[in-house]
């Protein structure tokens, strides 16, 4: 069972470079999320997509863009990476109905130098 | 915006002891979730709570959904070394899942 798959697992970028983090889920879930996790802090919501074709800002959207390519895939793009974006990024999905839980990918560890 | 607070921030306990941690919110949630994260891994769901007042157990873990819908607690009984990790509470509304900052648990053998 694949669940939620994120790529890449590790990435080092130079300041100003761009990259896209990929996320795919095979559970036919409607809602998908991108979080970042920083040392000593919890998971902060960057963007989410309640259903295919919709995206909304979370708590910390600045510096990021997202695309809900189809029901399975939700990508996160850094157009011009900054050292403050060094973090571990987690993608998650859930069915979209109220009484269900979210499932997480393994994370992408991003370092911006 | 919606915010969750967890206490304590970190705990060091002796193996075999019971543990209790809390989560409070400024907003009402319809669903409360407790996750555990091991180093280098994504969070894994431990317990999901769907009704105010609900008390749910999963092995040595017990969690309750507060009656006000603004809080929840998680208890771990008879802790073992593999309980080490960060425990996150999360509140879920129609669209979003919001996480608390986590409680870091260390178990001393």
């Amino acid at each position: 069972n694949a669940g939620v798959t994120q790529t890449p697992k590790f990435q080092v970028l130079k300041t100003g470079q761009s990259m896209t983090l990929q996320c795919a889920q095979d559970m036919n879930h409607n809602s998908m999320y991108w979080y970042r996790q920083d040392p000593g802090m919890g998971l902060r919501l960057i963007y989410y997509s309640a259903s295919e074709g919709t995206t909304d800002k979370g708590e910390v959207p600045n510096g990021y863009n997202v695309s809900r390519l189809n029901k399975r895939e939700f990508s996160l793009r850094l157009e011009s990476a900054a050292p403050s974006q060094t973090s571990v990024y987690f993608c998650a999905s859930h069915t979209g109905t109220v009484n269900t839980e979210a499932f997480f990918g393994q994370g992408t560890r991003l370092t911006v130098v | 915006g919606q915010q969750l607070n967890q206490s304590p921030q970190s705990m060091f306990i002796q193996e075999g002891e019971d543990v209790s941690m809390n989560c409070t919110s400024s907003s009402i949630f319809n669903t409360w979730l407790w996750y555990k994260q091991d180093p280098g891994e994504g969070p894994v769901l431990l317990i999901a709570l769907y009704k105010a007042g609900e008390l749910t157990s999963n092995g040595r873990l017990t969690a309750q959904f507060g009656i006000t819908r603004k809080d929840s607690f998680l208890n771990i009984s008879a802790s073992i070394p593999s309980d080490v990790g960060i425990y996150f509470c999360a509140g879920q509304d129609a669209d979003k899942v919001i996480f608390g900052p986590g409680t870091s648990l260390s178990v001393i053998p």
Side-chain angles (χ1 to χ4, degrees), chain B residues 2-106:
Chain B
Q2 295 163 315
Q3 271 194 318
L4 297 185
N5 298 302
Q6 283 187 249
S7 63
Q9 192 173 20
S10 63
M11 305 178 73
F12 289 82
I13 60 167
Q14 206 76 33
E15 182 178 357
E17 287 183 346
D18 298 342
V19 176
S20 184
M21 55 190 80
N22 295 312
C23 185
T24 59
S25 168
S26 57
S27 307
I28 289 173
F29 287 104
N30 292 318
T31 301
W32 280 93
L33 308 165
W34 284 93
Y35 286 84
K36 178 177 182 251
Q37 185 179 29
D38 293 323
E41 301 289 330
V44 174
L45 182 71
L46 298 174
I47 291 182
L49 301 159
Y50 302 121
K51 288 184 187 177
E54 179 182 352
L55 184 72
T56 297
S57 293
N58 178 8
R60 293 179 296 107
L61 278 60
T62 302
Q64 183 154 33
F65 190 151
I67 293 207
T68 65
R69 292 206 228 160
K70 290 186 176 183
D71 62 323
S72 177
F73 73 75
L74 175 71
N75 286 343
I76 305 173
S77 62
S79 59
I80 58 178
S82 62
D83 289 334
V84 165
I86 302 177
Y87 291 79
F88 292 102
C89 65
Q92 181 175 333
D93 63 17
D95 292 336
K96 300 188 297 294
V97 181
I98 304 295
F99 282 80
T103 293
S104 174
L105 179 64
S106 300

